[in-house]
Amino acid sequence: MDELDTEIIRLLQTDARQSNRELARRLGVAPSTCLERVRALTRRGVIRGYHADIDHAALNRGVQAMVSVQVRPLSRAVIETFKDSVGALPQVLSVFVLAGGDDFLLHVAVQDLDHLHAFLLDQLSQRREIAGFRTSVIFQRVQNTVLTRLPDPT
């Protein structure tokens, strides 16, 4: 990626809804050049998509939590099955497969603490492969929405 690609990425992360003409104007390049660069970044998988950032509370998901999960036996089949089945639950926003003391980290969003408790009891504690889990309720979240390329290791 050169400096133009890096700036395209930065500007699209700031506002992905801007037109190609506006993006090209801000970059100081021709619209055709800008469009080809964006298409090339998309083909290469650098740009993976565009999305709307939705307020969870507007979707009746006012309580979020991170749930650390340990599964047993630790095998590829158990990991894949758990990842796929838990990832399909409507309360689960993200599933992270981990190395270390925990095997998974689930980011969940539910209506309230009673629903979080019900999710933990009814959806997780009933699963045979779960050896244990810990829950941390999220009070606030700060997210870096504009990522830049880090320097290569030396």
Side-chain angles (χ1 to χ4, degrees):
M1 283 190 11
D2 63 14
E3 289 180 23
L4 181 58
D5 288 340
T6 301
E7 188 63 9
I8 288 171
I9 297 298
R10 188 187 70 74
L11 289 172
L12 286 176
Q13 287 179 99
T14 304
D15 179 8
R17 294 188 63 179
Q18 61 191 301
S19 69
N20 182 66
R21 184 179 309 275
E22 175 63 18
L23 185 59
R25 185 191 66 71
R26 292 177 75 185
L27 293 166
V29 299
S32 59
T33 300
C34 184
L35 183 60
E36 183 50 41
R37 288 292 192 114
V38 170
R39 286 179 177 165
L41 288 166
T42 302
R43 276 193 308 273
R44 291 182 8 226
V46 176
I47 298 174
R48 297 188 306 185
Y50 303 88
H51 74 281
D53 186 14
I54 307 297
D55 177 25
H56 290 116
L59 299 177
N60 201 22
R61 293 168 176 265
V63 171
Q64 294 182 54
M66 300 301 270
V67 183
S68 302
V69 180
Q70 303 86 38
V71 296
R72 297 293 177 266
L74 202 52
S75 68
R76 183 178 299 277
V78 169
I79 290 171
E80 291 299 321
T81 300
F82 182 81
K83 178 184 69 168
D84 294 341
S85 62
V86 171
L89 295 173
Q91 299 91 339
V92 176
L93 302 177
S94 299
V95 177
F96 300 90
V97 181
L98 307 175
D102 297 316
D103 303 310
F104 293 92
L105 184 63
L106 310 178
H107 181 192
V108 301
V110 294
Q111 296 92 321
D112 51 36
L113 289 174
D114 288 337
H115 282 86
L116 177 60
H117 188 234
F119 171 77
L120 296 171
L121 289 177
D122 301 336
Q123 300 292 328
L124 290 188
S125 69
Q126 302 301 313
R127 297 185 67 108
R128 291 186 332 237
E129 72 272 29
I130 293 183
F133 61 87
R134 292 182 325 275
T135 305
S136 299
V137 174
I138 299 171
F139 291 128
Q140 295 179 340
R141 178 183 103 169
V142 175
Q143 182 175 345
N144 187 355
T145 58
V146 179
L147 302 178
T148 58
R149 181 174 166 79
L150 296 174
D152 291 329
T154 55

